[in-house]
Amino acid sequence: MRILRARIHGFGRFRQREFIFGPGLNLILGPNESGKTTLQRFIRAMLYGLKKYGVSNRQKDPDYVRYQPWAGQEYGGILWYEAAGRQYRVERNLDWEHESIRLWDEVTGEELTARYPMDRRREVLFAAAQLGLSQLAFDNTVCIRQLEASELEREDLARELADRLISSGEGPEEISVRRALAAVDRRLEELGGERALTKEYGAACQRVERLERELQEWEEARQEVLDKEEQLHRVATQEEEVLRRLEGLRRQRDALRLCELRERLRRLSEAEDKLQQLRDEKALLERYRDFPAQERDRLWAIEREVSALRQQLADLQGELEHVEEELARGQERRQASSHLDPFRQEDIAALHQVCASYWSLQDQLRQSRAQLAALEEQIARLKGEEEAFSAYRPWLEDRGAAAEALQEKVLRLEAAGPGQLSGAIAAAALSLLLAAASGLSLWQSTPRAASSAPSLPPVLPFALAAGAAAAAALALSLWWKRRQNSLALARARAELATLLSRTGAKTMAEFRRGLERLREIRQAREAAEERQRQEAERLADLASRGNEKRAAALAPLRQARLLPEKEPGEAGEPEPSEELLSSFTAAVQGHLELLAGLERLCRRQAELQEKKGRLEEALRSQEKARLAILQAAGVPDREAFEVGWRSHQELLEKEKEERRQEELIREILGGETAELLSARAEELAQKAGAREGESPADPAALRRLEEEIAALKEQAQELGKKRTYLATYISTSLAQKRPGAEIRHELEHARAQLTELAQYRSALLLARELLTEVGEQMHREFAPLLSQKAGELIARLTGHRYTEVKVDNRLQLTAVDRATGRLVPLDELSRGTVDQFYFSFRLSLAEFFSSGDVHPPLLLDDSFSQYDDQRLHRALEYLVELAARRQVLLFTCHQRERDFLRSQGYPFQEIVLGSP
């Protein structure tokens, strides 16, 4: 896996920042508080989020509050990375209330979020699936924070290591194994284990085991004595045979050594002759020693560049000629349509707008004319209706009100006639009655004797008379008034009849209706005449505006030569039509496209001419460099340069061959002289005899003989030692042991005591053995592997001061002193050495957790702050090698890492963070 790019919208002190990472080693350099740890934690947050690991619900990681944006901006960002040959982009919003995550295939644009499972924390586990590392493993292996190399979550990490082994084998049974083992341990604790000597079963088991072991040892010793006696005989026979063979092989070896010496002398002579010949040939080529052969590749490259430049110039010239032809044809077309030069794209839109306005005005003119004709018809009709009511015209104004007053008078007089007489009679009767009542009241109030007889009051006649007189006077007055009203009513009816006869109405209601109808007709006519006047004014305005729009539309059409010029005195104007508008649009757009094409051709012509100049200048420069090389070599052309180069190469080859021949001679002599080899050959020839010494040399056979002789010597020594040992063993083996019958009797008695307990514990013991084997197998899987990997790396980091490290099943580390072999607890070592051990262990864990070819990048935040220069240099050299197969992001505030990498010429990419 390789991280490509990180864009931070908001995380800690960073806001809208982007970082680009290269392959291999990346050195992120910045002072304290410049954001190194923030950038490291951002990468971790983009891969695994900011939720607490190992819980069953959604809880915030401590880093969530620590790295919330300072200014309250968006919390999150984007991370691009490459894994297993594919490029991905992960986008995260880390805000707790609006949290979101989306994973994309950067090449195809496909969203991959739904392809990965989501745990109970609502975290998408894409990083764990792609990297092969859970969040716990990532934090404890490849992600090392500042001064936290030794801070491991040991129990959880050890459990995950075991789970990793289980998942690759019998994973589902792991849970039942743990529970069953706990139950078996409880039962065995109750009964006592085999080593619990204070409990009955343990003591019985120990006794049986001791007696069985003692009996087995006695039987094995007895059988071994028998075997040893037989072996002693075979060993003595073999020793004699080996000694005979050894003597024969020594004679063969001397003969082969003689052949080998003669072959060496022959090869030495041939090598010396070949060396002299090479020196003679080299002398002939000596004049080519200073030939500039190193310029051959450059000369060849220059000639290829010259050829390429000439071809580019030829292609460029053809393209330039084509552009110039196109430009000439375009200029001819532009000359033909030069009358369209003043027009632009906005003129087309303006003409469209003017034509649309003109056509809209024409529609309004037609509507206005139709409206005006309808009003004229309505006015004529209303005038005819008004003529039918012409008799009512004099009464339209005040006289109509007078008629209404006359009608009201008639009605009032008619209502006041008979009713007033009846009222007068009633008033007279009432007066008479009141007068009588007054006289009676006065009589009753006058005193009289008790004995006097009742009689009418004396004032009653006078009261009645007064009332009668008053009633008569009232009646006369009323009669006179009635007469006057009758005369007035007659006159009013006569006037009203005369008025109605003039209009032809029979009743006042008919008069009112006629008068109201005349008033309505006149009002309607006056309103229609007003609308007629307004519509006429509107018609004149529309006609004027239409003429202006038509003139505005026809002007560009004439300028574009789509209409003939108007002759003086010529009447009438053509109408702007859709066809003329389309023709204008097509003509102007075609002309504009022609102008744009000519502009592009001119730019292309200038670009080609500029490029041609650059190519010609480059060609001259290459030709000059080529001539300089030929002149420096003292040759006229390339062929002569090739001849000189081959001669120079041949000289170098001769020198190499000369050195090889000299080395061959030294190898043949083997530190000896030719005279010494000859003397040794003569000595072996006399010892081996002429016939054996004349066989061909076979170095392979001689080596085999030497090896066989050495093996036989060693075998003879081993057989002698074995013979002595067997004799001693036979005499002392059974002398120190009890008799076998005594041991068997005691064993049978112990087994009888153990039978009852064995029946009850047999199932539990078998279960415990199987479960214990599962646990031991798990430890054998990862502990030795981790110890080996961590030991290899710590040996390199400490300069082989420490070469071994022990890892137990709880991931506790113990160093091994190379000099003494003593186990050394890490708390007895220096802080820098402890950091080296845990750094090695974390990288070993990372290798263990990584799956396939996916190697997660290392994120190291000031991990070497406790190292001295020597430790730092070893660690950096290892990181440089490690960066060849996995990406390394090294965050540091020190300059010494950069200085060392630069001084050694190691490749790395530097990213400098600003000051805090």
Side-chain angles (χ1 to χ4, degrees), residues 86-109:
R86 297 180 68 179
Q87 293 186 11
Y88 301 89
R89 182 178 81 254
V90 56
E91 302 175 358
R92 274 188 187 267
N93 184 348
L94 297 172
D95 185 80
W96 201 253
E97 301 297 330
H98 307 91
E99 181 187 13
S100 66
I101 176 173
R102 302 186 73 181
L103 181 67
W104 306 85
D105 187 314
E106 185 65 10
V107 177
T108 64

Side-chain angles (χ1 to χ4, degrees), residues 104 154 179 472 488 534 559 664 669 706 770 796 811:
W104 306 85
R154 302 180 188 281
R179 294 177 180 174
Q534 294 175 356
Q559 188 176 358
L664 178 60
L669 291 173
E706 293 285 359
L770 293 175
R796 178 167 184 176
L811 302 186

Side-chain angles (χ1 to χ4, degrees), residues 405-442:
L406 187 60
Q407 173 66 15
E408 183 179 356
K409 182 179 180 181
V410 170
L411 293 176
R412 187 175 67 252
L413 291 174
E414 287 178 347
Q420 291 181 356
L421 181 58
S422 301
I425 296 172
L430 181 59
S431 298
L432 184 59
L433 184 58
L434 289 173
S438 299
L440 182 58
S441 174
L442 182 62

Side-chain angles (χ1 to χ4, degrees), residues 762-777:
S762 59
L764 292 177
L765 288 173
L766 179 59
R768 190 178 188 282
E769 289 175 359
L770 293 175
L771 295 173
T772 304
E773 180 63 23
V774 170
E776 292 175 353
Q777 181 64 28

Side-chain angles (χ1 to χ4, degrees), residues 579-732:
E579 292 78 12
L580 288 173
L581 184 60
S582 299
S583 300
F584 179 82
T585 301
V588 173
Q589 286 182 345
H591 186 68
L592 291 176
E593 291 174 359
L594 175 62
L595 293 178
L598 288 174
E599 185 177 356
R600 289 193 299 271
L601 287 173
C602 290
R603 287 198 302 269
R604 182 58 180 165
Q605 183 184 30
E607 291 173 359
L608 292 175
Q609 289 175 349
E610 182 182 358
K611 186 176 180 181
K612 180 181 178 183
R614 291 197 303 269
L615 290 176
E616 290 175 346
E617 178 63 26
L619 181 59
R620 288 192 295 270
S621 175
Q622 293 296 332
E623 289 283 0
K624 184 177 179 181
R626 176 179 175 273
L627 182 60
I629 292 173
L630 293 176
Q631 290 176 351
V635 295
D637 52 20
R638 172 184 171 179
E639 289 75 13
F641 187 93
E642 181 69 18
V643 172
W645 180 83
R646 284 197 297 270
S647 299
H648 179 77
Q649 294 301 114
E650 187 177 355
L651 175 62
L652 297 180
E653 289 297 326
K654 297 295 183 183
E655 289 180 344
K656 291 180 182 178
E657 184 63 24
E658 180 183 13
R659 289 191 293 272
R660 284 197 294 269
Q661 289 298 322
E662 291 173 350
E663 181 64 28
L664 178 60
I665 291 173
R666 287 192 294 271
E667 180 183 349
I668 292 172
L669 291 173
E672 300 176 323
T673 62
E675 292 77 8
L676 182 58
L677 290 178
S678 300
R680 287 175 53 198
E682 289 295 333
E683 181 183 354
L684 287 174
Q686 295 175 1
K687 184 177 180 180
R691 185 177 58 82
E692 294 179 353
E694 292 175 356
S695 60
D698 188 357
L702 180 60
R703 285 193 299 272
R704 286 196 299 271
L705 278 174
E706 293 285 359
E707 293 172 359
E708 193 172 351
I709 289 171
L712 286 175
K713 283 182 179 180
E714 184 177 356
Q715 185 178 0
Q717 293 174 358
E718 290 295 329
L719 289 172
K721 293 178 181 179
K722 192 171 183 180
R723 178 170 47 80
T724 304
Y725 164 75
L726 289 173
T728 304
Y729 184 87
I730 291 171
S731 62
T732 61

Side-chain angles (χ1 to χ4, degrees), residues 156-203:
D156 294 337
L157 193 60
R159 189 179 304 111
E160 183 159 337
L161 276 169
D163 291 341
R164 175 63 64 91
L165 290 175
I166 292 289
S167 64
S168 63
E170 299 179 351
E173 286 77 15
E174 189 266 343
I175 297 176
S176 62
V177 166
R178 290 182 182 177
R179 294 177 180 174
L181 184 58
V184 168
D185 286 339
R186 285 193 300 271
R187 295 296 296 158
L188 289 175
E189 182 65 24
E190 294 172 359
L191 296 175
E194 295 179 357
R195 302 305 176 190
L197 303 181
T198 59
K199 297 182 180 180
E200 181 181 4
Y201 187 78

Side-chain angles (χ1 to χ4, degrees), residues 732-779:
T732 61
S733 179
L734 295 177
Q736 300 175 357
K737 297 185 180 297
R738 288 196 300 165
E742 182 181 346
I743 297 173
R744 288 191 184 95
H745 177 72
E746 188 176 351
L747 178 59
E748 289 175 0
H749 180 69
R751 284 174 175 171
Q753 293 178 349
L754 187 61
T755 301
E756 293 182 2
L757 293 176
Q759 291 177 351
Y760 180 70
R761 284 181 51 85
S762 59
L764 292 177
L765 288 173
L766 179 59
R768 190 178 188 282
E769 289 175 359
L770 293 175
L771 295 173
T772 304
E773 180 63 23
V774 170
E776 292 175 353
Q777 181 64 28
M778 290 164 53
H779 181 66

